Amino acid sequence: MSQFPIVGGELVVGGHRISELAERVGQTPFYAYDRGLLRQRVTELRAVLPAGIKLHYAMKANPMPALVCLMAGLVDGIDVASGGELKVALDAGADVAEVSFAGPGKRAAELRQAVAAGVLINLESFREVELLASISRQLGRPARVAVRVNPDFELKGSGMKMGGGPKQFGVDVELLPELLSQVKRSGLAFEGFHLFAGSQNLRAESICEAQLKSYELARRLAEDAPAPVRFLNLGGGFGIPYFPGETRLDLAPIADNLAQLLDRARSELPKAELVIELGRYLVGEAGIYVTRILDRKVSRGQVFLVADGGLNHHLSASGNFGQVIRKNYPVTIGNRADSAERETASVVGPLCTPLDLLADRLDLPVAQEGDLAVIFQSGAYGSSASPQAFLGHSGVTEVLV
Ligand SMILES: *Cc1c(COP(=O)(O)O)cnc(C)c1O
């Protein structure tokens, strides 16, 4: 992958050759995230997006504390999805005015934490209105809330749909008048709306369409709202290319579309800030997973490189996290990255299951025991999205370099 240079035949991450980095980390497998690339991604995005758009980091994509700390200094806000993530965001020094908390099953203790911290809570049910009203009374401060809406449309071409149709997320738009009047009666501090249609989308026109529909829906709902809309989260869903044939998301039309919405908002929702929340797009391409080859086996003519980590650390790359048909992530042998000697080989993990497959019959540099297999596009939904206890192997470590 072009974002990581090759020096002396080795992949370089955060200024370190991969073999030296492995020594410095002191163990394999590990994830490495490149600070320079994280910064560059935010800078490039800001250069294209209109200045008035607020950029939030959805930290479920990668909750490593050091990385969240770095991101908190680069973006305008952090979106959390649990009490645990809220703690990491607060530790990272995120501005509580710009932290928001979403998720379909918030426990009472988590809501209490959030009200006490003063962050914005994305309301997702009638139950949460009641709970927050009583917590607000107990703590003597009204909960700040935005209503997460389950719209009557879907994000087309999305890897994972999270809005439209029957969903556990948000409140169905048909029920909003009733919900909003309950919010008003409960004395909660209403601040706006949150819409999140889906994830991993590479089609700019679908994202634009979802953002436009989300904006128009929010503008209509604002007429029944207990207070002026100050916060309008239009979601995200920006995808990154993982597989052969996928092309990079074209940001230009999205930026144009957002500029038009900002323009409309100036007169139609004059107090509102427009926010987009991105996870994968901000961090996915800045990270790699590195696993050492323990064994090289040839079975009936097929080469298997057996590595010291697999789906227990990197479920997504094995194809078991949201994919319908298994496809290979981009992979190389990091310490032989520009070798001309190549072969077709499969990279498998150490687990006793055929699902533990990191690369299925891929063209790779010829590898030996001790070499380092590298999975690219691994900065999002890696370590924290994997079943590390499965089969009792040791855990994976993460470094920010
Ligand atoms: C998962 C999620 C995100 C992040 O999605 P990405 O595809 O990683 O950008 C943002 N907002 C909400 C509400 C989410 O649930």
Side-chain angles (χ1 to χ4, degrees), residues 106-394:
K106 304 183 195 76
R107 287 175 293 140
E110 293 177 300
L111 288 170
R112 210 177 159 92
Q113 262 180 286
V115 177
V119 304
L120 183 69
I121 296 159
N122 293 329
L123 266 179
E124 311 215 12
S125 75
F126 286 88
R127 162 192 169 264
E128 289 183 355
V129 181
E130 292 307 315
L131 256 173
L132 284 171
S134 97
I135 292 168
S136 300
R137 279 192 302 275
Q138 286 163 23
L139 297 183
R141 65 190 294 181
R144 298 174 53 215
V145 299
V147 175
R148 180 168 179 181
V149 183
N150 178 25
D152 44 7
F153 57 85
E154 290 190 336
L155 177 55
K156 289 179 197 141
S158 195
M160 262 186 239
K161 291 186 174 46
M162 291 177 66
K167 288 284 180 300
Q168 72 267 50
F169 309 108
V171 177
D172 296 347
V173 62
E174 310 83 275
L175 301 174
L176 259 277
E178 192 186 337
L179 185 96
L180 288 170
S181 67
Q182 197 169 328
V183 167
K184 186 172 184 180
R185 282 198 308 277
S186 310
L188 303 180
F190 172 86
E191 296 196 6
F193 296 105
H194 175 216
L195 292 108
F196 183 77
S199 183
Q200 180 52 20
N201 202 309
L202 290 169
R203 284 162 49 184
E205 66 276 23
S206 308
I207 292 175
C208 290
E209 185 188 320
Q211 287 175 338
L212 174 63
K213 285 183 174 169
S214 297
Y215 173 85
E216 289 183 335
L217 180 57
R219 198 213 39 186
R220 266 192 284 125
L221 293 169
E223 291 162 16
D224 292 329
V229 172
R230 294 174 36 194
F231 171 92
L232 175 52
N233 185 337
L234 294 173
F238 295 18
I240 61 172
Y242 286 99
F243 310 120
E246 287 187 338
T247 47
R248 196 158 280 290
L249 180 63
D250 183 7
L251 289 177
I254 299 175
D256 286 348
N257 186 56
L258 288 171
Q260 285 171 31
L261 297 181
L262 271 175
D263 235 28
R264 288 181 56 180
R266 254 188 288 278
S267 56
E268 296 171 350
L269 298 169
K271 291 206 157 56
E273 276 182 0
L274 267 47
V275 179
I276 58 169
E277 54 177 0
L278 305 179
R280 183 193 315 268
Y281 189 81
L282 297 181
V283 298
E285 295 185 81
I288 56 171
Y289 173 68
V290 183
T291 174
R292 200 177 289 280
I293 292 162
L294 298 174
D295 204 348
R296 180 190 162 86
K297 295 173 73 171
V298 182
S299 169
R300 307 211 160 107
Q302 197 177 323
V303 178
F304 289 91
L305 304 170
V306 186
D308 60 3
L311 77 74
N312 52 328
H313 301 152
H314 203 334
L315 189 66
S316 310
S318 77
N320 293 292
F321 187 77
Q323 286 102 306
V324 180
I325 301 164
R326 194 197 171 283
K327 293 183 198 152
N328 289 320
Y329 272 43
V331 174
T332 193
I333 304 301
N335 56 313
R336 300 179 193 268
D338 62 358
S339 168
E341 232 188 307
R342 300 178 73 90
E343 66 180 353
T344 299
S346 294
V347 181
V348 299
L351 309 189
C352 277
T353 162
L355 298 177
D356 196 8
L357 182 59
L358 294 176
D360 185 17
R361 287 162 294 170
L362 208 55
D363 175 52
L364 291 171
V366 174
Q368 305 301 335
E369 283 173 29
D371 284 348
L372 298 167
V374 170
I375 321 288
F376 295 102
Q377 309 298 75
S378 297
Y381 304 108
S383 172
S384 70
S386 299
Q388 298 214 23
F390 189 37
L391 269 105
H393 288 275
S394 54

Side-chain angles (χ1 to χ4, degrees), residues 78-108:
I78 304 281
D79 293 335
V80 305
S82 69
E85 287 194 354
L86 175 59
K87 179 190 185 303
V88 174
L90 296 176
D91 288 347
D95 176 5
V96 292
E98 297 287 345
V99 171
S100 61
F101 179 15
K106 304 183 195 76
R107 287 175 293 140

